[in-house]
Amino acid sequence: MPNISNVVAIFFLLNSFGTLPLFLALTKDDNFRKKAAIALSANITAVILLCSFICLGEGLMSFFGLTLSAFEIGGGIILFKIGYEMINCTLNIEGYIKEASKIQPQNSYSIVPLGIPLLAGPGSIA
C-alpha cells in the first residue's frame, strides 16, 4: 500500500489545480465530450511518462553520468535564468505574440502543453 505522504506529494507535484485555468482557456469552445477526451488524453500521457521514468529513470541518468544532485542543480540554474529574465523584462513578448498569432492551432493540446510539461513536469519526473 502506498504511503499517504508520497501520494500527497505526487498530487501536488502534478499541479492539477495550476493546470486547470489553462485547460479551461484551451477548451472554452469545446463541448463536454471533447473536454473529457482531452483531459483523459492528458492524464494518460502524464501517467505513461511518469511510469516510464520510474522504470527507466535511474538507468537513463547513469547512462548519461548524471546524479540527482547534478540534475537538481541544473534545474535550479534554469529556473534562476527564467526568473532573472522575468524580473528584468529581457524577453521580447510582443515578438513572441506576433509569431504565435501566425501559427494555426491544430487542437492537439492534450499531450503538449497539458500532459507534458504541465501535469508531468520536471518536478514530478525528478
Side-chain angles (χ1 to χ4, degrees), residues 90-111:
T90 58
L91 294 176
N92 183 7
I93 304 277
E94 290 82 17
Y96 287 124
I97 291 172
K98 287 179 185 177
E99 291 297 320
S101 65
K102 296 177 186 176
I103 298 172
Q104 296 296 322
Q106 298 294 321
N107 293 334
S108 61
Y109 38 78
S110 63
I111 295 174

Side-chain angles (χ1 to χ4, degrees), residues 39-82:
L40 180 65
S41 177
N43 283 301
I44 287 173
T45 301
V47 167
I48 289 172
L49 181 72
L50 291 176
C51 287
S52 62
F53 269 95
I54 286 172
C55 297
L56 304 172
E58 283 186 42
L60 191 63
M61 297 265 291
S62 65
F63 176 76
F64 287 113
L66 296 172
T67 62
L68 187 57
S69 300
F71 194 71
E72 291 170 349
I73 291 170
I77 291 170
I78 291 171
L79 285 176
F80 176 77
K81 182 183 179 303
I82 292 170

